[in-house]
Amino acid sequence: MLMSDAALFEANSVLERQRLDADIVCVGFGPATAGFLTTLAKGLVNADGAPAFESRVMPGLPLQVLCYERADGMAFGVSGVVTRARGLRASFPELDPTTIPMATPVAEERMVYLLDPVGASRRPVGLRAVDAGLRLFKAVLPVREYALELPWTPGFLDKSGGLLLSLGQFMQWAGAQLQSTGTVQIWPGTPVSEALIEDGRVLGVRLVDQGVDRQGQPGEGFTPGMDVHAALTVIGDGPIGPVGRQLDMHFGMPEGHDTRDWAIGMKFVVELPQTSTLKPGTVIHTFGFPEPEIFGFLYVHPERIASLGIFVPSWFDSPVRTAYRYLQHWMLHPYLWRHLNGGQLRSWGAKTLGESGRRGEPHLVGNGYARIGEGSGSTNVLTGSGVDEAWTTGIQLAESVLELLGAGKDFTEGNLQAAYVRRRRASWLEAEARVAQRARDGFQKGFVRGLVGMALAGLTGGRLTLGHEPVAPYKRIPTLENYYCGRIPAEDIERLRKECAIKGVSLHTVLMERCGWPAIPFDGKLLVSHQDALLLGGKVQAPPGYADHVAFLYPHLCAECGTRICIEACSGQALTPGPAGVPAFDREKCVHCGACYWNCSQPIPDNAERMNISFRAGAGGLHSAEN
């Protein structure tokens, strides 16, 4: 078992560490940090090529700007993206999509309601009535292949004039542009363990220890992580980044803000069959199947490549939230399968999505630090977009930093408030975030209510919603026995639980098939087992010399847990039933999506907002440039 968080902190505090001084240090190289560095780099050099600012830590040299990224490359992003691209085009006014692999303008957008072709979906009474009506009047309604294409896409979802991107390919392109400037340093494969905080000020960051065993104990070749001090620390490490979460715990959240809403996004990159009629630039949004709460997407890139996937949200109250199995049932829906049948899997991935939006906004600035990107609450939960918003927060911070540098002002909380927060509050990002803030709250009380609430928010500029405050996960997740009441007897669930524990596998397959979901017809090309997806769809990195990044803080809580959603929801099957009820962790399969962290239903004794899983800094994860 890994050391507890408290024991780990105490051990780290007594080690002698090397120190490096910089002017600005960034945590995480995602869209937000790329936007920040792209904008900052343009202001660090004068027209004559001379440095615009002198380093305070290395007098006589240009500003020293460092960025540390956990993943082993700059193309780690796990997402197909459709975006209006306002922030991206602000940074690259002459942007030519053909220069970025897999990028293309949006040409067509469809919103599709999927009926249930197998009869296993848990649909509320109202939705069953809708389905029955659609089937009854399909002679006069455009209901084809168990689907209804809506005649229009709501304005708040419309991405006309936008771009389709592979986030991995775009980040690799953006990183290459940055490195060519010679003004910043980007260090992939270098995870940051924590922020250095003293007297309420962030002094910089500490890199992860190397040469340790899986429990974090020093071994042969032990090297303590270096302390990197900087006047400004920029945190853009996403919704599960350890530094962002550390700051949330240390400084607290603003009153009324929380991060209780999230989703797991899982996707395939597929080579479409020769028979596919889908054109590049096609965007398809789906809802209604495999479960009403699960939304899907299919984006068509050039050369018959498609990104497709689903979002499994926190308000889908199932204790067996298996994104992989649901993704395959979604792909097999007749409306989609006619385009996918005969295709080939190229890559696969998953990530956590922060779905709290502006309600999840932390303290954006403090003495010596600023927050940007998804972890700063920038995702728009109404439009379902986040990459361009994250990039824009990076632009805003960079403009603010250049303003403060030009004025010779320090990076204090007050100065960062006046520069960065002021810009953010006055921007389109803030205006749209306020419209979206309560747009999805209706889903707390049901799918139909959630859809109506989103429509009301979108059509009234956020003035009307069907809101209901999100509740903590442990208060809403039913037990297996309650969830399957009337479908599977409790004694059968207990028997299946024991059988799966002996086999060391999750429960979702046997439970779903017991409830009528058909077995997946594996074809070895596109429909493959979860294990084969790990082999075919990407490269999982798990370098030695680092401690395990997933830990269970209170093992007795795991033993008492009857659901263990962490196992059922694990994107890479890295968590399996283990001894004494504590899940076993195999980091050779972990894709660092964070599903376990957000899906844990056991609060720790001293903090009901924090669950029993510690998701720490670590190297590795899934690597596939196409993602």
Side-chain angles (χ1 to χ4, degrees):
M1 188 65 59
L2 284 171
M3 292 192 295
S4 69
D5 286 354
L8 191 63
F9 176 80
E10 184 178 353
N12 282 340
S13 64
V14 299
L15 290 173
E16 291 188 10
R17 298 175 181 275
Q18 291 185 330
R19 171 172 169 167
L20 174 67
D21 288 298
D23 295 290
I24 299 174
V25 62
C26 304
V27 182
F29 185 69
T33 306
F36 171 74
L37 294 175
T38 296
T39 306
L40 184 70
K42 295 176 181 178
L44 295 183
V45 180
N46 294 324
D48 60 0
F53 304 101
E54 181 180 351
S55 171
R56 291 188 180 183
V57 298
M58 295 185 180
L61 293 179
L63 214 66
Q64 301 296 296
V65 182
L66 309 177
C67 175
Y68 294 106
E69 165 54 42
R70 170 195 59 78
D72 66 333
M74 292 184 290
F76 76 98
V78 181
S79 183
V81 176
V82 58
T83 172
R84 292 172 182 160
R86 288 169 287 181
L88 299 180
R89 287 196 169 106
S91 294
F92 307 106
E94 306 299 324
L95 179 64
D96 179 2
T98 62
T99 63
I100 306 173
M102 296 178 66
T104 189
V106 174
E108 177 188 2
E109 195 166 12
R110 307 179 203 166
M111 178 69 66
V112 184
Y113 172 66
L114 302 179
L115 284 73
D116 177 11
V118 299
S121 179
R122 294 177 65 102
R123 306 173 96 72
V125 174
L127 207 58
R128 292 182 186 276
V130 170
D131 289 0
L134 290 175
R135 290 188 175 96
L136 182 63
F137 294 102
K138 67 179 181 179
V140 295
L141 293 173
V143 179
R144 304 289 185 270
E145 304 291 345
Y146 288 93
L148 173 66
E149 291 186 358
L150 302 188
W152 60 285
T153 299
F156 56 84
L157 288 176
D158 183 52
K159 305 296 192 306
S160 298
L163 292 176
L164 276 178
L165 299 168
S166 155
L167 185 55
Q169 292 285 3
F170 172 72
M171 291 303 299
Q172 187 165 287
W173 177 86
Q177 308 296 308
L178 266 172
Q179 289 186 318
S180 69
T181 69
T183 57
V184 301
Q185 298 180 47
I186 304 173
W187 295 89
T190 312
V192 173
S193 72
E194 61 187 291
L196 301 173
I197 305 173
E198 184 177 298
D199 296 329
R201 180 181 182 85
V202 173
L203 304 178
V205 298
R206 174 169 292 162
L207 305 183
V208 168
D209 294 341
Q210 299 183 44
V212 298
D213 63 17
R214 294 185 58 179
Q215 288 70 44
Q217 300 294 336
E220 187 176 350
F222 173 64
T223 304
M226 182 165 39
D227 284 349
V228 182
H229 287 240
L232 177 66
T233 300
V234 177
I235 298 96
D237 58 353
I240 59 164
V243 178
R245 289 187 286 109
Q246 175 199 3
L247 296 186
D248 290 346
M249 288 185 285
H250 185 90
F251 295 111
M253 294 285 285
E255 186 177 355
H257 288 212
D258 61 67
T259 55
R260 295 172 180 170
D261 278 349
W262 42 263
I264 300 300
M266 184 170 285
K267 61 165 284 189
F268 276 7
V269 176
V270 172
E271 182 178 334
L272 296 172
Q274 294 280 354
T275 56
S276 175
T277 60
L278 295 174
K279 303 298 183 183
T282 299
V283 175
I284 299 175
H285 309 283
T286 75
F287 65 103
F289 183 84
E291 299 288 4
E293 297 88 347
I294 295 176
F295 293 82
F297 66 91
L298 192 153
Y299 307 147
V300 184
H301 305 280
E303 300 180 3
R304 288 190 298 106
I305 303 301
S307 296
L308 52 93
I310 61 171
F311 303 104
V312 180
S314 53
W315 30 264
F316 173 39
D317 284 341
S318 168
V320 286
R321 297 181 178 132
T322 164
Y324 190 81
R325 180 69 184 260
Y326 278 125
L327 172 59
Q328 293 191 312
H329 286 299
W330 177 83
M331 292 164 58
L332 283 165
H333 190 283
Y335 179 84
L336 300 164
W337 190 240
R338 59 185 173 144
H339 298 297
L340 301 176
N341 189 12
Q344 176 71 53
L345 171 67
R346 291 171 64 108
S347 64
W348 162 87
K351 77 176 293 286
T352 291
L353 301 166
E355 295 282 280
S356 293
R358 195 182 184 284
R359 182 190 282 118
E361 181 183 282
H363 295 290
L364 293 176
V365 297
N367 289 323
Y369 79 89
R371 306 281 295 271
I372 57 176
E374 191 176 1
S376 75
S378 63
T379 300
N380 189 307
V381 297
L382 178 62
T383 63
S385 55
V387 169
D388 199 44
E389 286 78 359
W391 183 279
T392 299
T393 65
I395 293 176
Q396 293 168 344
L397 178 60
E399 291 173 344
S400 305
V401 167
L402 292 170
E403 174 188 320
L404 295 176
L405 288 170
K409 294 182 178 179
D410 293 332
F411 298 119
T412 63
E413 180 177 1
N415 289 339
L416 289 167
Q417 283 277 358
Y420 169 48
V421 178
R422 174 184 57 81
R423 274 183 171 82
R424 186 155 165 171
R425 296 291 182 247
S427 68
W428 62 264
L429 182 73
E430 173 75 7
E432 294 181 5
R434 288 189 177 277
V435 170
Q437 185 163 336
R438 300 182 62 85
R440 290 193 180 181
D441 287 3
F443 286 108
Q444 304 292 327
K445 290 294 185 179
F447 173 72
V448 174
R449 180 168 177 165
L451 285 183
V452 174
M454 281 188 68
L456 283 174
L459 296 173
T460 66
R463 288 183 290 274
L464 295 178
T465 66
L466 294 179
H468 187 277
E469 291 293 327
V471 298
Y474 73 94
K475 292 183 178 179
R476 63 177 302 157
I477 299 300
T479 64
L480 289 170
E481 289 76 10
N482 287 339
Y483 185 74
Y484 288 105
C485 182
R487 305 184 82 183
I488 306 177
E491 56 271 21
D492 287 1
I493 291 176
E494 182 58 26
R495 176 178 55 81
L496 293 172
R497 183 185 281 122
K498 291 179 179 178
E499 290 176 359
C500 288
I502 292 173
K503 297 176 182 178
V505 298
S506 55
L507 271 162
H508 56 253
T509 295
V510 294
L511 292 175
M512 289 178 68
E513 291 184 3
R514 180 69 179 271
C515 290
W517 289 99
I520 302 298
F522 297 129
D523 60 14
K525 294 177 58 180
L526 184 56
L527 297 175
V528 299
S529 71
H530 204 160
Q531 182 65 41
D532 285 342
L534 285 167
L535 300 174
L536 300 175
K539 180 175 63 174
V540 177
Q541 302 273 339
Y546 292 93
D548 282 353
H549 53 278
V550 172
F552 300 91
L553 300 174
Y554 295 87
H556 73 275
L557 293 179
C558 295
E560 297 167 3
C561 179
T563 55
R564 299 194 180 95
I565 310 174
C566 58
I567 293 175
E568 304 303 324
C570 180
S571 296
Q573 292 186 318
L575 292 176
T576 54
V582 180
F585 175 58
D586 181 357
R587 73 181 190 188
E588 301 290 333
K589 296 180 179 180
C590 181
V591 301
H592 289 249
C593 72
C596 56
Y597 179 80
W598 293 114
N599 276 287
C600 179
S601 62
Q602 299 297 308
I604 62 175
D606 58 346
N607 187 346
E609 291 291 329
R610 189 180 178 199
M611 301 301 106
N612 192 38
I613 288 180
S614 177
F615 199 89
R616 299 169 179 166
L622 186 70
H623 176 78
S624 172
E626 287 189 330
N627 278 324

